[in-house]
Amino acid sequence: QVGTNATGLQQGNYAFIATDAYGCADTVIASVKQPSRTILSIAKIDSITCYNFSNGRITISGNGGTLPYQFRWQGGQSGNTISNLPSGVYRVYLTDKNGCKDSLNVTLSNPPEVIARIVSGNMTMKGQNMDVAAQVTPAGNYTYQWQPASVFGSNANRQNATIQLNSNTKLLLTATNAKGCVGKDSLEIGVVQPIKDIIPNAFSPNKDGLNEGFGLPDIFEIESFYVYDRWGGIIFKGNS
């Protein structure tokens, strides 16, 4: 190139030669340097705390190129930090002063859902001890809250409890982990009267349509059964 300015140069060393009208000349060696590549990187990810929450946060940083940087996120947001995010993939673009670009995908994962389940039968007998247990996934440390408080008393914050019910009752369980993520479950418990209050002391299977027989709720398992006539003689006996 001829003239006082040289343009369109690539990286490298260039010799500039100046010659006057008398043929005298001088030479200057100049180096044209290339800036380092513009690179995006993740500075910090604040993970989503609980399943399906929208409280994630991403901070990215730029390196190389020429300051200042411009950050643009797919969706229109700008700046090197975005917050209040649900799970998903977020794409960010970096442009430096000279228009050099880089892009990056950042993934925010959804944490597993806290699922609580009451492990128990769904029937019991009035006044009889009944065991209930809390089963929670994923495994971890949880605090527990059972309701009704009138049923659980001092056992309301234990994982497992023994209770007694006098009438049909709906049990409620809340399990909470260290991050405040909550799992809930409920279970209706049916209560039957004690067996002595259910089985009659007499019946008359004489086909008159009255007091022909009787039955028991499924909660009971019959181990042995005897039927006597009015004079005390055994007319039926059976064992499970």
Side-chain angles (χ1 to χ4, degrees):
Q1 298 184 33
V2 178
T4 57
N5 296 314
T7 60
L9 304 179
Q10 297 181 350
Q11 179 183 9
N13 295 322
Y14 294 86
F16 295 90
I17 302 172
T19 304
D20 67 10
Y22 299 101
C24 300
D26 193 13
T27 301
V28 175
I29 303 297
S31 295
V32 175
K33 296 182 178 180
Q34 177 175 286
S36 59
R37 178 186 172 190
T38 303
I39 299 176
L40 266 173
S41 60
I42 300 171
K44 185 180 181 183
I45 293 180
D46 294 325
S47 300
I48 298 168
T49 54
C50 300
Y51 180 75
N52 278 352
F53 274 30
S54 297
N55 59 359
R57 180 183 174 96
I58 301 172
T59 301
I60 48 93
S61 62
N63 294 284
T66 304
L67 296 173
Y69 298 136
Q70 289 184 342
F71 301 95
R72 181 176 60 84
W73 298 83
Q74 190 173 24
Q77 293 177 275
S78 60
N80 71 323
T81 298
I82 54 174
S83 55
N84 299 322
L85 304 175
S87 62
V89 178
Y90 296 86
R91 188 166 184 83
V92 59
Y93 303 88
L94 166 64
T95 305
D96 75 355
K97 180 181 179 180
N98 296 322
C100 302
K101 300 177 183 295
D102 192 21
S103 62
L104 180 68
N105 286 336
V106 184
T107 300
L108 273 179
S109 299
N110 206 7
E113 183 179 7
V114 174
I115 299 176
R117 187 170 75 89
I118 298 174
V119 180
S120 171
N122 59 6
M123 292 192 72
T124 187
M125 188 169 64
K126 180 179 179 181
Q128 180 178 343
N129 284 345
M130 179 182 189
D131 294 327
V132 295
Q135 185 179 83
V136 187
T137 56
N141 295 321
Y142 294 90
T143 59
Y144 302 94
Q145 180 65 54
W146 291 93
Q147 291 179 311
S150 58
V151 169
F152 287 90
S154 60
N155 295 321
N157 300 120
R158 296 182 180 179
Q159 182 176 0
N160 305 322
T162 300
I163 60 175
Q164 291 184 355
L165 300 177
N166 294 319
S167 60
N168 294 347
T169 303
K170 184 176 183 178
L171 304 184
L172 303 175
L173 168 66
T174 302
T176 307
N177 68 13
K179 294 183 178 181
C181 309
V182 174
K184 296 184 177 183
D185 193 23
S186 63
L187 181 65
E188 291 277 357
I189 305 295
V191 177
V192 299
Q193 297 300 312
I195 192 169
K196 64 182 180 60
D197 296 336
I198 299 175
I199 296 181
N201 56 14
F203 69 104
S204 56
N206 55 7
K207 298 183 180 181
D208 64 355
L210 300 174
N211 300 319
E212 295 291 336
F214 63 93
L216 290 174
D218 292 339
I219 188 174
F220 296 107
E221 179 181 348
I222 300 175
E223 294 182 355
S224 61
F225 185 73
Y226 295 82
V227 178
Y228 298 85
D229 63 20
R230 69 178 66 185
W231 298 282
I234 295 178
I235 59 175
F236 175 85
K237 65 179 180 179
N239 297 285
S240 61

